[in-house]
Amino acid sequence: MQFIVDQQVEDIEMPENLKLNTFLKEFHSDCPHTECSFGLYGFAFGQSPFPVPKIVQEALIKNVGKGAYAAVPGIPELRNAISRYNKHYFGMDIAPERIYVGPGTKELIFNLLEILHGTVILPTPAWLGYLPQIRLLKKNYHMLPARANQKISPTDLKKLSLRLQDRQKILILNNPHNPTGLLHDRLELEEIADVCREQNIIVISDEIYAQTTYDFSKFVSMGKIYPEGTFVTNGLSKSHAAGGYRLGYVIFPHHATDLKRQFKKILATVYTAVSTPIQHAAIAGFEISKEMDEYFDVTRNIHQIMGEYTYHALSAIEGIKTTKPDATFYLLADFNAFATELQKVNINTSQKLSEALIVHPYHTAIVGGDSLVLERTDFSARIAYVDYDGAKVYQNYLDNKPKLSSERIEFVKNNAPKVVAGIEMICRFFKDIRKESWNNSQTQKNSMVTSS
Ligand SMILES: Cc1ncc(COP(=O)(O)O)c(C=O)c1O
């Protein structure tokens, strides 16, 4: 029996984050060199390293017996808690009826793209999750490349929008941003919102990293700036280190009653509701409490310390430019200054660069440019600085909070030795590339001299 798969499914590729596992297995075979028994330096996985907050774990255990189906948009206690959470942390008054809970924001973004008519505007670089969804839904889309500052330019947004024929357009805004770690501030969001109002652009504002903003007072939700046209998504995955719980939520614009009805139909048709015990556990994560407040505070401070170190250490390497993260646990490193040297040793694409870095003696995993919706030949990469034991580091931070800059550097050296060593490996790799490419050109020159 031969099974025929629909063409649009054939056409999409495995999402890059899942491809990464296969790639690492394929290229990082167990190394015979004893000094390489550490495995690899993991800058590739975008996962919070901390334990799920204790009060969330306890709530899950307590509610494990709740086997009944939940209401489609989520249980009322959870929608109420999310409403209070948004008021407390983001200063937004959101009626619980505007909040729909789903199995992760990835699914909710997919469902939104499914029901909203319009051409999608995808700013790049971008999180690797959006594009396969847009392709699967066969939606029209256009990229909006960032300017040199790696942010969305309102002027470029307007220019692009004027070229599009659609009555309605959908901008995917990811703030704070994966992979650059940058935050669009209030003023920048206001300028984007002005264009969106004028051009009838709806915004899906993916704010999954909001709580990780290092100077939290700087975070402003697009839901506050452009409430009439923004769908805000957020959830447990990054702020609560609970990606595996699969729980996210979307806030609808206040007048979107009919749209909510359509959305509910889709949810009911596709997955009914999020697991009931998980919803009860999530209440503990969204209720305002001393425990959660401390958790957000400690985890964002540790991300900041690791980010500062990674930024300074990478930018100290001649030729490497990186974004200076305001949030998240990522930065974007630009290796394009090495393009000529890389090409000389047959590394012509970002995929090839990732492969060259994962093999002996470097054993360093990064996410290369084409996985970030950049050109295949763009030698930029996302560096996730989370390769450490989150539970231990959390406790060490509480025991002795590093304040001075020298103490913060010491903290990284003591608590995240693989981050430190991985950056040294990247440095060594590019030194070797320079040497090898120079040797290659010398050999070429010599052979030209002997043959002439
Ligand atoms: C920008 C961004 N949005 C959404 C997600 C997925 O979130 P969820 O686990 O809620 O589906 C991720 C996860 O890596 C992400 O980086």
Side-chain angles (χ1 to χ4, degrees):
M1 177 102 196
Q2 208 182 352
F3 300 103
I4 303 165
V5 172
D6 268 345
Q7 193 57 44
Q8 81 264 30
V9 177
E10 288 277 7
D11 288 348
I12 67 158
E13 287 186 22
M14 179 68 117
E16 296 290 342
N17 50 341
L18 303 179
K19 250 173 36 186
L20 201 65
N21 274 320
T22 326
F23 163 71
L24 291 178
K25 276 199 198 103
E26 188 180 335
F27 282 89
H28 181 75
S29 45
D30 281 335
C31 193
H33 301 81
T34 45
E35 75 274 18
C36 299
S37 58
F38 59 85
L40 52 80
Y41 302 114
F43 291 122
F45 287 112
Q47 180 140 266
S48 170
F50 300 110
V52 174
K54 240 213 160 93
I55 54 170
V56 176
Q57 295 189 34
E58 285 163 3
L60 180 59
I61 293 166
K62 216 167 107 200
N63 288 285
V64 74
K66 294 208 163 62
Y69 288 115
V72 177
I75 56 175
E77 305 92 303
L78 176 58
R79 296 167 84 197
N80 290 336
I82 295 172
S83 166
R84 289 192 288 269
Y85 175 80
N86 273 277
K87 174 83 185 154
H88 182 83
Y89 285 106
F90 308 128
M92 293 201 290
D93 281 308
I94 311 290
E97 297 72 43
R98 286 172 54 196
I99 298 165
Y100 272 48
V101 174
T105 57
K106 193 181 202 181
E107 177 77 43
L108 290 167
I109 292 168
F110 183 78
N111 298 143
L112 285 173
L113 289 171
E114 214 170 11
I115 64 162
L116 290 167
H117 168 84
T119 301
V120 180
I121 300 175
L122 181 61
T124 61
W127 173 50
L128 36 76
Y130 307 122
L131 197 54
Q133 295 198 345
I134 297 167
R135 289 200 174 127
L136 183 59
L137 289 167
K138 291 192 182 160
K139 289 189 93 76
N140 286 332
Y141 67 93
H142 284 265
M143 313 289 194
L144 178 66
R147 291 262 179 118
N149 68 356
Q150 295 295 350
K151 291 195 175 175
I152 297 172
S153 147
T155 315
D156 294 351
L157 175 63
K158 184 166 174 177
K159 269 195 214 149
L160 171 59
S161 174
L162 284 169
R163 280 184 18 226
L164 304 177
Q165 303 298 325
D166 240 325
R167 284 170 298 154
Q168 179 173 281
K169 296 128 213 162
I170 307 163
L171 170 69
I172 298 187
L173 174 74
N174 175 210
N175 195 43
H177 187 244
N178 172 5
T180 61
L182 296 178
L183 180 75
H184 284 81
D185 64 20
R186 176 185 283 276
L187 204 68
E188 290 163 332
L189 292 179
E190 278 170 355
E191 285 174 356
I192 295 170
D194 286 345
V195 177
C196 292
R197 276 192 195 98
E198 187 196 293
Q199 295 291 317
N200 203 25
I201 303 173
I202 294 172
V203 178
I204 296 178
S205 189
D206 175 350
E207 299 179 1
I208 195 89
Y209 294 98
Q211 276 289 5
T212 66
T213 310
Y214 306 153
D215 178 353
F216 190 62
S217 65
K218 290 219 173 98
F219 175 79
V220 182
S221 172
M222 190 60 155
K224 230 171 151 177
I225 309 281
Y226 182 39
E228 70 275 29
T230 301
F231 297 78
V232 177
T233 60
N234 202 342
L236 287 182
S237 296
K238 311 295 171 178
S239 45
H240 299 68
Y245 275 44
R246 308 310 303 130
L247 187 131
Y249 65 84
V250 53
I251 302 173
F252 280 79
H254 45 74
H255 57 278
T257 313
D258 183 55
L259 208 64
K260 279 192 300 189
R261 201 173 49 79
Q262 308 288 354
F263 197 73
K264 193 169 172 180
K265 269 192 323 203
I266 297 280
L267 306 200
T269 306
V270 180
Y271 53 75
T272 308
V274 174
S275 141
T276 311
I278 291 293
Q279 293 201 47
H280 281 278
I283 296 172
F286 289 121
E287 283 295 11
I288 314 306
S289 66
K290 247 183 40 227
E291 288 90 339
M292 282 314 306
D293 218 36
E294 179 200 280
Y295 184 90
F296 295 140
D297 200 44
V298 170
T299 52
R300 78 164 72 95
N301 285 344
I302 297 174
H303 288 317
Q304 179 174 18
I305 292 171
M306 299 294 171
E308 272 170 12
Y309 181 91
T310 308
Y311 165 75
H312 287 294
L314 279 175
S315 356
I317 302 170
E318 202 192 328
I320 300 182
K321 274 195 302 193
T322 88
T323 53
K324 187 166 191 288
D326 304 306
T328 76
F329 28 86
Y330 314 110
L331 54 75
L332 188 74
D334 177 350
F335 306 123
N336 285 297
F338 296 93
T340 315
E341 280 110 334
L342 287 166
Q343 281 149 7
K344 275 192 192 150
V345 295
N346 285 330
I347 299 175
N348 303 311
T349 60
S350 58
Q351 175 66 25
K352 283 253 162 69
L353 174 60
S354 306
E355 288 170 16
L357 261 164
I358 199 76
V359 296
H360 184 78
Y362 311 108
H363 302 292
T364 302
I366 57 167
V367 174
D370 61 339
S371 309
L372 310 171
V373 204
L374 292 169
E375 293 293 326
R376 292 179 64 229
T377 50
D378 188 326
F379 296 115
S380 299
R382 187 187 77 177
I383 306 291
Y385 35 87
V386 282
D387 193 357
Y388 54 85
D389 179 339
K392 228 160 79 189
V393 177
Y394 190 107
Q395 193 51 49
N396 290 348
Y397 178 88
L398 281 184
D399 294 344
N400 197 358
K401 288 184 191 162
K403 293 202 176 64
L404 301 173
S405 148
S406 56
E407 291 169 354
R408 292 162 82 85
I409 294 172
E410 249 349 84
F411 183 84
V412 178
K413 288 186 174 164
N414 293 333
N415 287 286
K418 281 179 84 180
V419 171
V420 176
I423 297 170
E424 281 163 12
M425 265 308 172
I426 293 177
C427 181
R428 176 172 164 190
F429 173 80
F430 283 107
K431 263 193 197 145
D432 290 352
I433 289 290
R434 280 219 160 116
K435 235 188 286 163
E436 204 182 322
S437 118
W438 192 82
N439 288 344
N440 279 3
S441 15
Q442 287 310 104
T443 323
Q444 255 176 12
K445 262 193 215 152
N446 291 343
S447 68
M448 272 157 68
V449 171
T450 28
S451 60
S452 61

